[in-house]
């Protein structure tokens, strides 16, 4: 079954999302110019999620990519909730008090985030009120801390990640009358998700990462070449620091069994993740929760206690937070799930984005008309355009990256036949050849960044 180029484009472009930051009186004061994002499923349904939002009470913007495993439930919950936890952690004491007072008096609450969503981005509407209640418990906790200064950005991200993971774990242990809510809580806790979130405020870029999604910067050097600056490291068995961390946290007798076949306890590729309570709780707790649950099989909850399970927890959602001060030569940020990085190196990704930027600027409207214009002349112009490949050029850079990730031949060029074959693989085979891929590319406004340095020198 051969797909036509336009069918290929329809499949590849279905998840496209792009958002341009509005100029205020012709001045874009935001250091983010625009972002473009896309997803391509391998699993049915897709287990990756993404989020993008503007923080309304602070100045920042946040972008997240979440890679689920053992189902999409945990990635879904984290994509809906984590940015709220980070935003709340950054609010001043006064703002938190105002919000708490509004909730108490049942008045409208100050909006915290403005989401930038794709129409296909699903939501767990049934549990929104439960999620809000637990977020409220979190900000009440922050108010009780009685600190005037509030968190630094790094602390806010760290705290938000750990608190949300703790809430996911507690929600499934709390007695729950509503069966649907209980089932969702079970699915969220017993599946898992890795997460990479960037917070951009002016020239300040913070990236918090748990697991094996990845964030890199594309840097345009003064000599005209492009270089790559990695902002995260993959938390897995191939990372020396992760192996050492886990060995420190467990007795020496377990050194040989912490990683088996390059997987944590022989089960999980990433060594940090949300959810996955099978690798965090004691055997007794797992047993008692699942024993009292309804039909575990119907919920697709896979019951197992790994061999050599002696000193849990083996898994943490604690992120590593990186800070980078943006320079005018930093042109874009790429955040993607490991489905992209398995196919393309960091350098290749930067090269593709840079090349795409050049092509797009070259191909700004070049249709110069000779008078008089007739249909034959228009037709030949359009043919010229088509032959120059303009028609097939992806406007969305994330789509361009996904196209190359699954369709590149050994010369690094997109092979239409390979692309068509990869997109028509039957469901059970698709997973063997490619993973779900989610990509978000954030373009920086070099002018705003330059002005910052000019005004702060």
């Amino acid at each position: 079954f051969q797909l036509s180029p336009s069918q290929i484009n329809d499949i590849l472009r279905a998840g496209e999302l792009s958002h341009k930051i509005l100029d205020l009186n012709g001045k874009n004061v935001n250091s983010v110019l625009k972002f473009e994002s896309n997803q391509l499923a391998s699993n049915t349904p897709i287990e990756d999620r993404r989020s993008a939002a503007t923080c309304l009470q602070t100045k920042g913007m946040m972008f997240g990519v979440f890679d689920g495993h053992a189902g999409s439930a945990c990635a879904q919950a984290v994509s809906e909730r984590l940015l709220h936890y980070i935003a709340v952690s950054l609010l001043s004491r006064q703002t938190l008090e105002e919000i708490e007072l509004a909730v108490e008096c049942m008045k409208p609450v100050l909006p915290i985030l403005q989401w930038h969503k794709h129409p296909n981005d699903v939501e767990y509407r049934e549990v929104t009120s439960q999620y809000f209640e637990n977020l409220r418990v979190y900000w009440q906790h922050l108010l009780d801390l009685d600190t005037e200064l509030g968190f630094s950005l790094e602390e806010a991200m760290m705290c938000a990640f750990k608190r949300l993971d703790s809430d996911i774990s507690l929600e499934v242990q709390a007695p729950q009358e509503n069966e649907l809510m209980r089932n969702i809580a079970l699915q969220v806790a017993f599946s898992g998700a890795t997460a990479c979130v960037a917070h951009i405020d002016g020239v300040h870029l913070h990236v918090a990462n748990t697991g094996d999604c990845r964030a890199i910067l594309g840097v345009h050097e003064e000599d005209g070449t492009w270089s790559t600056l990695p902002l995260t490291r993959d938390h897995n068995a191939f990372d020396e620091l992760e192996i050492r961390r886990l060995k420190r946290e467990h007795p020496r007798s377990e050194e040989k069994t912490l990683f088996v076949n390059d997987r944590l306890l022989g089960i999980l590729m990433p060594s940090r993740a949300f959810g996955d309570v099978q690798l965090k709780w004691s055997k007794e707790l797992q047993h008692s929760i699942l024993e009292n649950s309804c039909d575990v099989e119907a919920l697709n909850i896979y019951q197992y206690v790994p061999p050599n399970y002696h000193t849990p927890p083996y898994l943490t959602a604690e992120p590593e937070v990186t800070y980078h001060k943006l320079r005018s030569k930093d042109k874009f940020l790429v955040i993607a799930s490991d489905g992209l990085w398995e196919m393309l190196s960091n350098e290749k990704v930067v090269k593709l984005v840079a090349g795409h930027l050049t092509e797009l600027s070259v191909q700004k409207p070049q249709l110069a008309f000779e008078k008089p214009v007739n249909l034959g002349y228009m037709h030949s112009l359009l043919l010229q355009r088509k032959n120059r490949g303009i028609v097939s050029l992806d406007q969305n850079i994330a789509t361009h990256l996904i196209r190359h990730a699954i369709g590149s031949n050994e010369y690094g060029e997109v092979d239409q036949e390979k692309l068509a074959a990869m997109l028509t693989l039957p469901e059970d085979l698709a997973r063997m050849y490619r993973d779900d891929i989610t990509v978000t590319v954030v373009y920086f406004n070099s002018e705003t960044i330059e002005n910052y340095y000019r005004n702060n020198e």
Side-chain angles (χ1 to χ4, degrees), residues 127-397:
V127 282
T128 310
S129 60
Q130 165 92 54
Y131 286 170
F132 180 78
E133 274 313 306
N134 289 350
L135 183 67
R136 184 185 178 189
V137 173
Y138 176 44
W139 80 56
Q140 288 170 337
H141 161 72
L142 294 176
L143 285 169
D144 289 344
L145 287 178
D146 213 35
T147 51
E148 276 310 310
L149 290 167
F151 287 142
S152 70
L153 234 148
E154 186 168 339
E155 290 165 338
M157 292 177 105
M158 189 76 79
C159 196
F161 271 64
K162 284 156 77 170
R163 175 67 183 221
L164 175 56
D165 193 52
S166 155
D167 281 358
I168 285 170
S169 175
L170 292 170
E171 281 157 13
V172 70
Q173 296 173 54
Q176 180 67 262
E177 292 302 307
N178 180 322
E179 194 182 337
L180 176 70
M181 307 270 268
R182 178 164 175 69
N183 289 349
I184 289 177
L186 275 162
Q187 284 179 315
V188 170
F190 280 87
S191 60
T194 63
C196 184
V197 176
H199 180 284
I200 302 161
D201 180 4
V203 294
H204 305 294
L205 166 63
H206 288 82
V207 178
N209 182 52
T210 286
D212 52 10
C213 292
R214 198 181 294 174
I216 63 169
L217 272 183
V219 183
H220 200 196
E221 301 295 353
E222 275 144 34
D223 62 3
T225 58
W226 286 87
S227 68
T228 307
L229 181 65
L231 296 170
T232 56
R233 60 188 179 92
D234 302 348
H235 299 136
N236 57 29
F238 304 104
D239 185 88
E240 202 46 55
L241 292 170
E242 278 300 277
I243 295 173
R244 264 184 284 178
R245 174 183 70 79
L246 273 145
K247 284 183 175 172
R248 271 199 312 275
E249 291 171 9
H250 299 276
R252 287 196 66 168
S253 55
E254 293 187 55
E255 278 191 5
K256 295 271 188 289
T257 54
L258 283 173
F259 287 100
V260 179
N261 298 330
D262 296 328
R263 287 170 178 262
L264 185 62
L265 297 186
I267 288 166
L268 198 61
M269 280 298 280
S271 56
R272 300 191 193 198
F274 283 90
D276 286 317
V277 291
Q278 307 88 314
L279 297 173
K280 293 174 180 171
W281 289 354
S282 67
K283 292 178 195 175
E284 296 72 34
L285 179 56
Q286 292 185 47
H287 195 69
S288 73
I289 294 290
L290 289 175
E291 210 172 49
N292 300 327
S293 310
C294 37
D295 192 349
V296 173
E297 255 173 59
L299 293 175
N300 269 337
I301 289 173
Y302 182 47
Q303 265 180 288
Y304 59 84
V305 174
N308 305 304
Y309 195 75
H310 307 300
T311 53
Y314 289 92
L315 193 63
T316 176
E318 182 174 320
E320 254 187 317
V321 183
T322 316
Y323 171 70
H324 176 78
K325 193 169 184 180
L326 291 170
R327 309 153 298 181
S328 56
K329 64 179 184 175
D330 299 323
K331 298 301 179 190
F332 55 83
L333 165 74
V334 182
I335 311 175
S337 58
D338 67 339
L340 182 78
W341 309 111
E342 283 165 7
M343 305 291 210
L344 299 172
S345 67
N346 292 1
E347 292 68 28
K348 181 70 181 166
V349 166
V350 166
K351 198 175 161 187
L352 283 167
V353 180
H356 189 260
L357 277 172
T358 313
E359 271 178 54
L360 278 181
S361 62
V362 167
Q363 298 187 348
K364 287 275 164 18
Q366 284 186 334
L367 284 180
F369 295 122
E370 290 172 18
K371 304 248 177 3
V373 175
N374 61 31
L375 275 178
Y377 176 67
M378 282 301 287
H379 183 67
S380 71
L381 263 184
L382 288 170
L383 276 178
Q384 276 174 30
R385 258 185 92 153
K386 192 167 181 180
N387 293 339
R388 282 215 309 272
I390 292 181
V391 178
S392 67
L393 185 68
D394 291 306
Q395 292 305 307
N396 185 308
I397 186 59

Side-chain angles (χ1 to χ4, degrees), residues 47-66:
E47 294 181 348
D48 280 7
R49 292 290 184 274
R50 58 184 168 180
S51 298
T54 302
C55 304
L56 295 173
Q57 307 306 326
T58 59
K59 297 279 186 298
M61 281 191 85
M62 287 192 277
F63 303 92
V65 168
F66 312 95

